[in-house]
Amino acid sequence: MHDFIHTTHPQRVVFGAGSLRHLAREIDALGAKKALVLCTPEQRPQAERVAASLGAQAAGLFDRAVMHVPVETAREARDLARRLGADCAVALGGGSTTGLGKAIALESGLPIVAIPTTYAGSEMTPIYGLTENGLKKTGKDPRVLPRTVIYDPELSRTLPVGLSVTSGINAIAHAAEGLYAQDSNPVMDLMAEEGIAALARALPAIRLEPGDLAARSDALYGAWLCGGVLGAVGMALHHKLCHTLGGSFNLPHAEVHTVVLPHALAFNAQAAPRAMARIARALGGVSAPAAVFALARDNGAPVALKDIGMRAADLDRAADIAVANPYWNPRPFGPAERDAIRALLQRAFDGEPPG
Ligand SMILES: NC(=O)C1=CN([C@@H]2O[C@H](COP(=O)(O)OP(=O)(O)OC[C@H]3O[C@@H](n4cnc5c(N)ncnc54)[C@H](O)[C@@H]3O)[C@@H](O)[C@H]2O)C=CC1
Ligand SMILES: O=C(O)/C=C\C(=O)CC(=O)O
């Protein structure tokens, strides 16, 4: 028997190879005249081409987006937008650049056009993250939801294979946790399963041929679906562990998701059998945790926290932080489960298959 509440976010999505050419039209459709283009330093050449294509519609370029959005960077970008008279922001890049756009929108209300070039999914969510004095806080606000999203798989062809695989598994993590979320609903479940299946098809093909446009399109389609799930329902143990490891120990975002997901799923397996069956089906495997582990390992992604910058000496503190303010999870993980979480982290640290 169905019993749910679902809020649909007001957002326009333009999807397709070459759809970047519609950017000027989409800025017009927002009623905006001058866009501040945002990017990371690494993506400046790509962003310069986008700004050039906008001509007089481009107010300027800010190229200092970094992971986890330091408040100082957000302030600088916001000030620049004001000085240049920008009335919208174009975020070209992954979750870090979209996150910078969100930080600008949070205080200024400037509409954002997001052009995602990774599979992180931030463009589909009203979730923002900001880091101040080394502490990352996240929140939800409808103002930060990008008003328009342009998904152009051509732009993700340059995403290195390693980051393509880990970012794809970051997306899969949103869908996997969505399938056992307490506030999920049948439409989100369909999106989640389809999103996981699309990414599971696409990632091995991208590893073989990074420029494969059909595979890039499939991966971005999967990322769109998984991002939609993240934006609509609550996340659980896996995201809590990743925010702890990323936020307090500065581990790289997509990689940490990739290493932790099989272990978080194993922890939840008995408490969420229907979700596990759907994840396994989408991945073409028998067991959800094992299938995620194999997807990572077989495509050259890291499977051990020790290989992505975690120190053994920090595992105890990570377990303490993770259980101190637990999220809702199908299997509770408060202070009483601290030893089980510590054991999970040890397996993830060593790169053992999920227990
Ligand atoms: N608020 C939300 O809903 C979400 C926020 N996030 C946040 O996003 C951040 C991580 O975002 P990611 O996308 O994983 O990484 P990222 O945005 O930091 O990008 C990683 C690197 O890849 C480069 N890159 C991106 N696309 C490229 C392309 N097509 N070709 C070549 N290089 C490319 C970037 O310039 C950067 O150097 C974290 O801070 C995370 O917390 C992630 C997911 C959801
Ligand atoms: O930390 C944020 O900026 C907000 C959400 C996420 O990063 C989601 C995720 O862990 O992929």
Side-chain angles (χ1 to χ4, degrees):
M1 217 160 57
H2 296 308
D3 181 5
F4 60 84
I5 296 173
H6 175 65
T7 304
T8 303
H9 297 307
Q11 231 183 356
R12 176 173 162 95
V13 170
V14 179
F15 195 110
S19 55
L20 178 63
R21 70 181 181 282
H22 300 310
L23 176 59
R25 180 192 76 191
E26 293 303 321
I27 292 173
D28 270 347
L30 288 174
K33 302 266 179 263
K34 288 221 163 277
L36 176 63
V37 179
L38 310 172
C39 64
T40 59
E42 298 80 17
Q43 285 180 280
R44 184 174 174 109
Q46 207 175 20
E48 276 175 347
R49 285 195 294 278
V50 168
S53 76
L54 288 177
Q57 270 180 318
L61 184 63
F62 183 89
D63 71 356
R64 292 208 297 286
V66 288
M67 210 167 269
H68 304 315
V69 196
V71 286
E72 300 79 13
T73 313
R75 200 172 300 126
E76 274 183 62
R78 207 165 37 239
D79 289 349
L80 181 66
R82 199 176 40 245
R83 280 202 312 279
L84 294 173
D87 55 4
C88 78
V90 170
L92 174 80
S96 298
T97 306
T98 308
L100 176 62
K102 288 175 163 183
I104 296 174
L106 185 63
E107 291 202 359
S108 68
L110 224 58
I112 304 167
V113 179
I115 309 175
T117 61
T118 70
Y119 308 127
S122 174
E123 67 283 353
M124 293 304 296
T125 84
I127 306 167
Y128 63 87
L130 280 169
T131 304
E132 187 163 22
N133 299 326
L135 272 184
K136 178 164 175 174
K137 65 167 193 189
T138 56
K140 270 191 182 181
D141 193 306
R143 277 179 306 178
V144 309
L145 184 77
R147 296 269 291 278
T148 305
V149 183
I150 298 179
Y151 283 107
D152 185 344
E154 297 267 10
L155 301 173
S156 52
R157 288 169 112 172
T158 51
L159 188 65
V161 167
L163 192 51
S164 299
V165 175
T166 55
S167 187
I169 296 176
N170 181 195
I172 288 175
H174 308 327
E177 291 230 296
L179 281 164
Y180 51 64
Q182 60 176 342
D183 56 352
S184 194
N185 67 64
V187 173
M188 289 305 112
D189 290 353
L190 290 171
M191 284 170 56
E193 195 172 336
E194 172 73 357
I196 296 172
L199 282 153
R201 276 193 306 271
L203 298 182
I206 288 171
R207 180 175 58 88
L208 291 177
E209 176 46 63
D212 180 338
L213 193 56
R216 288 293 184 182
S217 179
D218 232 6
L220 207 54
Y221 164 67
W224 168 53
L225 293 169
C226 295
V229 175
L230 173 67
V233 307
M235 295 290 115
L237 170 69
H238 169 74
H239 280 72
K240 177 68 189 189
L241 290 174
C242 292
H243 290 173
T244 301
L245 295 168
S248 303
F249 302 96
N250 208 23
L251 301 193
H253 181 82
E255 286 89 335
V256 84
H257 270 270
T258 301
V259 173
V260 170
L261 185 59
H263 303 281
L265 294 181
F267 184 92
N268 283 334
Q270 286 187 5
R274 286 179 55 202
M276 295 301 150
R278 292 187 81 152
I279 298 164
R281 186 167 65 191
L283 292 168
V286 175
S287 132
V292 175
F293 188 81
L295 183 68
R297 184 199 53 207
D298 297 350
N299 289 291
V303 293
L305 290 176
K306 65 177 163 42
D307 294 338
I308 61 167
M310 187 71 186
R311 296 179 333 140
D314 286 332
L315 289 173
D316 279 327
R317 194 156 63 90
D320 292 341
I321 297 171
V323 301
N325 292 297
Y327 298 172
W328 180 89
N329 191 58
R331 174 181 167 192
F333 67 98
E337 289 75 30
R338 195 258 179 211
D339 289 350
I341 295 298
R342 176 65 179 80
L344 180 168
L345 288 172
Q346 188 67 51
R347 289 187 84 90
F349 181 81
D350 293 331
E352 284 182 37

